[in-house]
Amino acid sequence: MGMLAIVISLALLMYFAYRGVTVLLLAPIMGAIAVVLSGDSSFLLPIYTSTFMTALSGYVLQFLPIFLLGALFGQLMADSGAANTLARWIVNSLGPRRAILSVVVACGLLTYGGVSLFVVAFALYPVAVSLFKAADLPKRLIPGTIALGAFTFTMTALPGTPSIQNAIPIPYFNTNVFAAPGLGLIGALVMFGGGLWWLQSRAAKAHAAGEGFGEHGEADEQTNPDQPAEQGRWSVMPVPLALLPLLLVVGVNALFTYVIFPGMDFAFLGERFQNVDPQKTTGLWSLIIALAVACLTLVLMRLGKWEDLKGTVNKGVFGFMLPLFNTASEVGYGAVIASLAGFAIIRDAVLNISPTNPLISEAVAMNVLAGITGSSSGGLSIALQTLGADYLRMAEAAGISPELLHRVAVMAAGGMDTLPHCGAIITLLAICKLNHRQSYLDIAAVTIMIPLPALALVITLGTMFGSF
């Protein structure tokens, strides 16, 4: 009965998430349903206050700076015109004839530099429309093109990417965002090359069938690729200045990760901060410092020239709250599920999928939970909250590096997370003014069907040669 309660709760969570109900409300309600159906209704309120809220608040305490600074950085990049400048620079460099490649590279550069994928989608959509019209490519391919650049290799595979998905495993595995860099690069190349091949093939097939951009009638869709619809006041910012904040995010992060923090003696923390383990926190500290430096640099570069700096800062700061609390609520839900007796059976079944190679079990768990929640960060957080210690123990017993665990976990969370009920996919389609029937096949191909073989390749190479 305990297992059935969990299955029913998860099924309802998936259904109502697809119907657009906020996870902030869904998570505690579905957790309560699981508790009641499992026969623990007398403990409902203690489980809510002590289990759900403790897990939620713990996640917020740990990752609030990453969400806040990431959202602020993305808003500063957008309102300063830096994001628009870089997008136009890439478009002009590659040319309208390479519309698909231009959009993928532009999305990839911005997301790898720390700009939120939602900011990227809003900023690149007008550019993509102009390019696809000029090249007479079907508009229905735009969501898949943006998804390839923003939701795949730069989110989960490239070493050093400041995405929240790449930060979540740090305190569980004592790693950093550069974990398993060689394997991450290999996985990224497979995703990039495979996704580009798929989209180009689909474009060629459409051209052979006589299908062009199509009639869509939006007034904001322009035909000049040099004049995207959403130009910031500073869209003519010099390219080196626009690039500088992105380089700082990666460069400062690497500097503190590999040079400054490893050379420091943290013994002075012992007296006042006995609960702080530098091995578990320096990876997060490096990312926090890098994002803060990049935000400050953007502000100073345009000091005195901002249209409304206070408005930009407020919008960025307010924008972090919903993603953070959505994910934190999913973590709270996962903690409730993990506290139920029926979960022990599910946990043992998952851990025993491949007892000699925890990477396979980990990949399955991350994919399943990301698919159920419709969120890579949510599924990853739930899985590590409930199974992270088990995987670390199994990896140590099997001689598997924590860095390899980190990379596999992040790449796996970026597999099945983009099922149709995924909030990011629903938002992307809304931005592009298209629907699932028109564009979801291409989104699924570049975000699920190609990343899964890339993940399998990384697991195979990691098992054979270890982390590199």
Side-chain angles (χ1 to χ4, degrees):
M1 189 61 193
M3 278 189 62
L4 182 60
I6 293 173
V7 171
I8 291 174
S9 171
L10 289 171
L12 290 173
L13 177 69
M14 183 184 297
Y15 172 77
F16 284 110
Y18 180 69
R19 303 294 296 179
V21 179
T22 174
V23 175
L24 286 173
L25 188 62
L26 271 182
I29 291 176
M30 293 305 119
I33 289 174
V35 171
V36 171
L37 292 179
S38 65
D40 292 333
S41 56
S42 57
F43 300 108
L44 182 59
L45 289 178
I47 286 175
Y48 175 73
T49 55
S50 297
T51 303
F52 181 90
M53 289 305 301
T54 297
L56 182 150
S57 59
Y59 186 88
V60 171
L61 181 67
Q62 198 160 54
F63 293 108
L64 185 147
I66 307 298
F67 276 88
L68 188 153
L69 290 170
L72 176 59
F73 178 66
Q75 197 62 51
L76 289 169
M77 284 291 293
D79 289 359
S80 68
N84 210 343
T85 293
L86 293 174
R88 292 174 59 194
W89 169 57
I90 292 169
V91 167
N92 291 335
S93 300
L94 296 176
R97 292 183 179 179
R98 298 183 179 90
I100 292 175
L101 178 62
S102 296
V103 173
V104 171
V105 171
C107 289
L109 177 64
L110 291 173
T111 49
Y112 185 60
V115 182
S116 161
L117 56 89
F118 293 109
V119 172
V120 170
F122 276 110
L124 265 295
Y125 169 67
V127 178
V129 166
S130 298
L131 285 172
F132 275 55
K133 264 194 171 182
D136 201 27
L137 294 173
K139 184 190 174 186
R140 60 182 173 82
L141 296 178
I142 290 179
T145 304
I146 293 175
L148 174 59
F151 297 3
T152 60
F153 58 97
T154 57
M155 186 179 81
T156 65
L158 283 181
T161 180
S163 69
I164 186 60
Q165 291 82 0
N166 200 30
I168 288 171
I170 291 174
Y172 297 97
F173 297 148
N174 304 338
T175 50
N176 57 64
V177 293
F178 294 91
L183 290 169
L185 283 171
I186 292 171
L189 285 172
V190 173
M191 292 185 206
F192 175 78
L196 204 58
W197 168 82
W198 172 273
L199 292 169
Q200 297 283 19
S201 299
R202 294 279 286 173
K205 185 177 179 180
H207 178 74
E211 180 184 358
F213 182 83
E215 296 295 329
H216 298 277
E218 289 97 339
D220 64 338
E221 292 180 358
Q222 302 178 0
T223 57
N224 186 350
D226 293 326
Q227 295 180 351
E230 295 182 9
Q231 290 192 38
R233 179 180 175 184
W234 303 111
S235 60
V236 292
M237 178 190 291
V239 172
L241 281 183
L243 269 175
L244 178 61
L246 305 187
L247 297 176
L248 285 173
V249 171
V250 179
V252 172
N253 194 348
L255 178 65
F256 277 86
T257 297
Y258 291 113
V259 179
I260 296 179
F261 284 147
M264 290 181 64
D265 182 4
F266 290 98
F268 68 93
L269 294 175
E271 295 182 5
R272 294 186 58 185
F273 301 98
Q274 298 179 5
N275 295 327
V276 174
D277 183 354
Q279 285 189 326
K280 293 184 177 181
T281 53
T282 51
L284 291 176
W285 290 349
S286 298
L287 185 54
I288 289 169
I289 293 170
L291 288 170
V293 168
C295 287
L296 181 60
T297 300
L298 266 170
V299 171
L300 293 177
M301 281 195 315
R302 290 298 176 187
L303 201 60
K305 300 178 181 178
W306 290 89
E307 284 189 359
D308 183 9
L309 179 58
K310 182 179 71 174
T312 293
V313 171
N314 286 343
K315 188 175 180 181
V317 171
F318 295 154
F320 92 94
M321 295 182 185
L322 185 59
L324 171 62
F325 280 95
N326 275 343
T327 307
S329 293
E330 291 172 338
V331 172
Y333 169 78
V336 171
I337 296 300
S339 70
L340 302 178
F343 179 76
I345 301 172
I346 297 174
R347 181 196 61 208
D348 292 342
V350 170
L351 293 176
N352 288 322
I353 289 175
S354 178
T356 59
N357 190 346
L359 297 176
I360 297 174
S361 169
E362 182 187 46
V364 171
M366 304 297 166
N367 265 294
V368 170
L369 285 169
I372 289 170
T373 59
S375 166
S376 54
S377 57
L380 183 61
S381 299
I382 292 172
L384 292 179
Q385 179 86 11
T386 55
L387 299 171
D390 292 310
Y391 284 127
L392 186 59
R393 174 182 50 79
M394 292 171 66
E396 290 173 350
I400 293 174
S401 165
E403 284 74 21
L404 182 52
L405 272 183
H406 177 125
R407 187 55 53 212
V408 168
V410 178
M411 289 183 63
M416 300 295 290
D417 62 315
T418 49
L419 291 176
H421 64 289
C422 170
I425 297 306
I426 293 170
T427 301
L428 175 60
L429 289 171
I431 292 170
C432 297
K433 304 176 181 68
L434 294 165
N435 56 44
H436 283 76
R437 181 181 58 81
Q438 293 168 305
S439 298
Y440 183 71
L441 173 62
D442 298 301
I443 294 173
V446 300
T447 62
I448 300 176
M449 295 186 328
I450 293 171
L452 287 179
L455 171 63
L457 177 61
V458 167
I459 292 174
T460 302
L461 293 174
T463 301
M464 294 172 63
F465 305 108
S467 178
F468 61 89

